[in-house]
Amino acid sequence: MYELAKKKYLEEHGFEALRPKAVLFDMDGVLYDSMPNHAIAWQESMAQLGLQMTADDAYATEGARGIDTIRVMVSLQQKREIDEAEAQRMYDVKSRIFHSLPEAPIMPGILELMGKIKAAGLQIGIVTGSGQRPLIQRILKDFDGFVDEAHITTAYDVKRGKPNADPYLVGLQKAGGLMPYEAIVVENAPLGVRAGYAARIFTVAVNTGPLADEILLEAGANLLFPSMQTFCDHWHELVAEEL
């Protein structure tokens, strides 16, 4: 399965080999089991602001910059265009509700996986559609020894968020100006998978949410695992010949 997936990836993008030097992780639903909290915060905050958003909407738009999601929702539902400043004020309401909820747990298997990645000599980067400082601080605390701030890409590093390639292209730059075939993306959401695909990076989808596997595969995932622990358990099989 892994060799076929890598062969298809190389042929599609015209690369000679997959030579990973870095693994670029999304945050929500990958590092943390945080999407249930985000779904609650999105629904409650948007209701306060006169917008309708369901839990399914929250999962479907995961990975995009929050302000971009809000601008689209306002355009569709209220038939008006808002600037980033107004969208940011609305997003701040969502952020306050999110931070009032119980802290989301670290995703099972992620620390073990990072240990294997570090032992193999690869860099670890984080590429998130969030820009909330408390979340970045938590990453630095929870993954101390694996992740540093110089390797974290946030919503404020890009003008165009996921599903555009920009966040992962910045992630490659922060990892030392790597080529797409020198990295692996780990995502759990269709917009993030599409961003990894657009950046021409080998993209692993880990389905930690309620979406059907087919949605992630159709978005462009090269491989799909049912959990982070399963991905961790098969890590060496995926990269055995490349390292």
Side-chain angles (χ1 to χ4, degrees):
M1 174 177 70
Y2 307 121
E3 290 308 312
L4 181 61
K6 286 184 279 188
K7 182 174 184 291
K8 182 179 178 181
Y9 163 77
L10 294 172
E11 290 177 349
E12 182 172 9
H13 296 291
F15 298 140
E16 292 184 2
L18 178 63
R19 300 189 180 96
K21 296 180 180 178
V23 181
L24 306 177
F25 289 94
D26 178 39
M27 179 178 66
D28 291 306
V30 174
L31 302 186
Y32 300 105
D33 189 11
S34 50
M35 279 311 298
N37 283 359
H38 279 291
I40 292 170
W42 272 118
Q43 291 177 91
E44 291 187 2
S45 61
M46 293 304 100
Q48 290 181 22
L49 297 165
L51 295 166
Q52 294 182 341
M53 188 170 192
T54 66
D56 286 347
D57 291 335
Y59 280 96
T61 57
E62 180 197 348
R65 297 195 309 168
I67 57 175
D68 291 339
T69 297
I70 289 172
R71 293 179 77 178
V72 170
M73 291 174 61
V74 170
S75 177
L76 291 174
Q77 296 184 31
Q78 298 183 348
K79 308 303 180 186
R80 65 188 183 96
E81 304 302 320
I82 61 174
D83 60 19
E84 287 204 7
E86 183 175 353
Q88 183 65 57
R89 289 193 294 272
M90 298 171 76
Y91 184 61
D92 289 344
V93 177
K94 183 261 179 181
S95 298
R96 285 195 294 272
I97 294 174
F98 177 80
H99 288 296
S100 73
L101 298 171
E103 191 172 70
I106 295 174
M107 191 66 72
I110 187 66
L111 286 169
E112 182 184 355
L113 175 59
M114 285 190 176
K116 291 181 178 182
I117 293 169
K118 183 176 181 180
L122 276 64
Q123 300 178 67
I124 295 172
I126 309 300
V127 178
T128 174
S130 175
Q132 300 174 47
R133 192 63 200 170
L135 296 179
I136 306 307
Q137 294 289 3
R138 187 183 175 195
I139 289 174
L140 295 172
K141 173 177 66 72
D142 290 342
F143 301 100
D144 183 36
F146 296 123
V147 179
D148 61 48
E149 189 152 9
H151 288 79
I152 299 178
T153 301
T154 75
Y156 299 116
D157 289 310
V158 296
K159 286 294 185 182
R160 302 189 308 164
K162 303 172 186 177
N164 295 289
D166 305 34
Y168 282 110
L169 294 178
V170 172
L172 291 176
Q173 290 303 310
K174 290 194 175 191
L178 300 182
M179 297 298 292
Y181 56 80
E182 294 179 309
I184 294 172
V185 161
V186 184
E187 273 282 356
N188 73 306
L191 294 185
V193 170
R194 286 170 57 191
Y197 177 84
R200 302 195 300 158
I201 304 172
F202 189 92
T203 300
V204 174
V206 182
N207 196 354
T208 60
L211 300 177
D213 289 349
E214 290 73 18
I215 293 175
L216 297 171
L217 293 170
E218 289 171 2
N222 299 104
L223 280 176
L224 185 141
F225 293 92
S227 69
M228 191 60 65
Q229 187 62 59
T230 306
F231 178 31
C232 176
D233 293 342
H234 291 271
W235 165 254
H236 287 302
E237 297 172 50
L238 173 62
V239 299
E241 294 185 4
E242 281 71 29
L243 301 179

